[in-house]
Amino acid sequence: MTDIGVEPYREITFDADGDADPAERTALTGVDATDLVLFAHGWNNTPDNARSLFRAFFAAFPAWVSGSAGVRLGYGGVIWPSIRFTDETIPNFPHAAAVTAPTGPGLDGATVAALKGFFPGQDAAIDRIAGHLEQRPDDEAAFTDFARLTRQLVTVPTTGPGTPGDLATEDGPGASPAILTDDILGLCQRFTAALADTGMAVRPGPPGPSFSIGGSLKHLWDGAKEVLRQTTYYEMKHRAGTVGQRGLGPLIGQLALARTDLRIHLVGHSQGARLVAFALKGLPGGARNVKSVTLLEGAFSHYTFAERLPEGLSGAGALSDAQGRVDGPVVSCYSHFDTALGVIYPVASALSGDYASALPGLDRRWWAIGHDGIQAVSPCTTLTLAEALRDGVPDSGCVSVDAAAVVKDGGPPSGAHSDICHPELARVVLAAGRIVAP
């Protein structure tokens, strides 16, 4: 049994298609608990990385639960194939602190190995991508080759009813993300500018949206690395939706039948927040065992739960009816210190041909749910962290909690995106699940 410092603890491991380990399914069903907190990690390269995060996040729970009559709290870790570039720091996280971030746009060996594990069968393409980033050729043809190789890594989901993790539904019917379609030099320039906006040192280059004849392109390789990172996360975004809808949702439905007494509380960080949110879409009809959902710095659209998309976007959010499947609240904890979601994510999420400015971070349509909370849902309660800790959260519906009082540390380019291991956030999870009183 894995020791992460709390008991009882169980793991459930999914592959990229949402298939789970049968032995782990059985062990999860037999957990001795009245309430089970299932936590899905965001970007991590190995199960050991994920377990370190689980250990740090769950550490505060026992003290909060101590003395709660009739509560036997169980803990679960949802492990799924995701990736973290090793230059992304996680505050107060020993494994991440031990990593030395590369000084340039090149990829370190650990990140190259992680990419090859995440994209099996693409070793040659990844080696060539790494070569371009290391050599920084001042050649437009090299950027074109970089774009071709990077985009071939991505599995573009098909559209249509019932497509698991359908990104087109989230971004707009038939929409194409600019990161997969737009001119590569323009994308690299946008990301280079966005990186500078996060406080990250980048090499100076020619200002403005155009390139002078004979001008050097070498500075744009800083932005090219971010194009690779965000293209990788586009694939991870699709995978998280698939694992949630095809894997975790049906599993929770099975628990509803096998353990009618077990109350489930879903928690997810970053793309893991997307995973647990899409689990609601895969939850069988009639299953009412999910008692709360807490999204920590969720890396998906803030309009996902909207019945109607505003501001020139047609249709509804991909999970427009999902909050009704929870016998309790859906809580989004967000922070404006999260530059991964406030600056970089909007650039990656904007649609082809629909940039409002050189920095789509200025266009609120592309903001993430972990940047400003749940949007275009009525009613939706908005609270400060202090209010949530003092008074608790509503028993149902959508709730946004401004967690910037604690989610505030981290270096560029991600900022506070992974600064989630705080006792206060553990308390929000427990309050959302009515496990402890305010």
Side-chain angles (χ1 to χ4, degrees), residues 85-111:
F85 282 52
T86 56
D87 61 352
E88 294 160 1
T89 59
I90 302 177
N92 304 312
F93 191 50
H95 179 84
V99 175
T100 301
T103 57
L107 301 176
D108 63 283
T111 297

Side-chain angles (χ1 to χ4, degrees), residues 97-430:
V99 175
T100 301
T103 57
L107 301 176
D108 63 283
T111 297
V112 170
L115 285 167
K116 289 179 177 179
F118 192 74
F119 298 108
Q122 297 278 9
D123 288 15
I126 291 167
D127 284 337
R128 188 168 177 85
I129 288 168
H132 282 315
L133 292 172
E134 180 66 31
Q135 296 161 19
R136 298 165 52 86
D138 187 11
D139 179 11
E140 185 171 347
F143 282 91
T144 301
D145 187 53
F146 170 84
R148 177 185 64 82
L149 293 166
T150 299
R151 288 166 178 171
Q152 82 176 32
L153 301 177
V154 176
T155 303
V156 179
T158 58
T159 60
T163 302
D166 181 6
L167 301 184
T169 303
E170 179 175 323
D171 297 330
S176 298
I179 197 168
L180 301 182
T181 57
D182 277 16
D183 172 73
I184 186 61
L185 291 179
L187 280 173
C188 289
Q189 187 181 44
R190 292 186 189 108
F191 277 113
T192 299
L195 287 171
D197 201 41
T198 70
M200 191 167 185
V202 296
R203 292 163 179 78
S210 61
F211 304 95
S212 60
I213 297 176
S216 174
L217 302 175
K218 293 178 74 71
H219 72 288
L220 295 182
W221 287 107
D222 293 282
K225 180 179 179 180
E226 196 59 37
V227 170
L228 171 64
R229 191 196 314 263
Q230 296 304 319
T231 303
T232 299
Y233 293 155
Y234 182 91
E235 176 70 13
M236 197 163 82
K237 184 178 180 180
H238 168 55
R239 186 174 295 184
T242 298
V243 172
Q245 186 173 340
R246 287 183 173 172
L248 184 58
L251 173 63
I252 294 170
Q254 293 169 4
L255 284 173
L257 296 175
R259 288 288 307 275
T260 57
D261 61 322
L262 186 62
R263 296 159 39 91
I264 304 296
H265 309 278
L266 299 179
V267 184
H269 169 237
S270 185
Q271 299 285 10
R274 178 180 170 86
L275 190 157
V276 299
F278 271 82
L280 301 177
K281 194 171 185 178
L283 196 64
R288 301 295 292 173
N289 55 338
V290 177
K291 302 302 179 179
S292 67
V293 177
T294 307
L295 312 172
L296 305 174
E297 301 307 299
F300 58 104
S301 172
H302 59 183
Y303 295 140
T304 297
F305 294 99
E307 293 182 0
R308 178 175 297 179
L309 299 179
E311 302 176 87
L313 299 174
S314 60
L319 300 178
S320 59
D321 62 345
Q323 59 267 40
R325 303 185 183 190
V326 181
D327 188 19
V330 174
V331 180
S332 171
C333 294
Y334 67 94
S335 171
H336 67 274
F337 292 114
D338 186 337
T339 51
L341 301 184
V343 179
I344 302 297
Y345 177 91
V347 183
S349 298
L351 304 185
S352 181
D354 199 21
Y355 280 91
S357 67
L359 284 176
L362 302 177
D363 186 341
R364 70 186 307 274
R365 290 180 299 169
W366 313 123
W367 290 354
I369 202 168
H371 175 66
D372 66 338
I374 298 168
Q375 300 295 316
V377 173
S378 182
C380 178
T381 303
T382 300
L383 303 170
T384 65
L385 181 60
E387 289 170 337
L389 295 176
R390 183 191 67 215
D391 303 326
V393 302
D395 290 344
S396 63
C398 288
V399 184
S400 293
V401 175
D402 184 350
V406 295
V407 181
K408 58 185 179 179
D409 293 330
S414 297
H417 183 65
S418 294
D419 187 19
I420 61 166
C421 296
H422 296 283
E424 295 87 347
L425 297 185
R427 180 76 182 198
V428 170
V429 171
L430 294 170

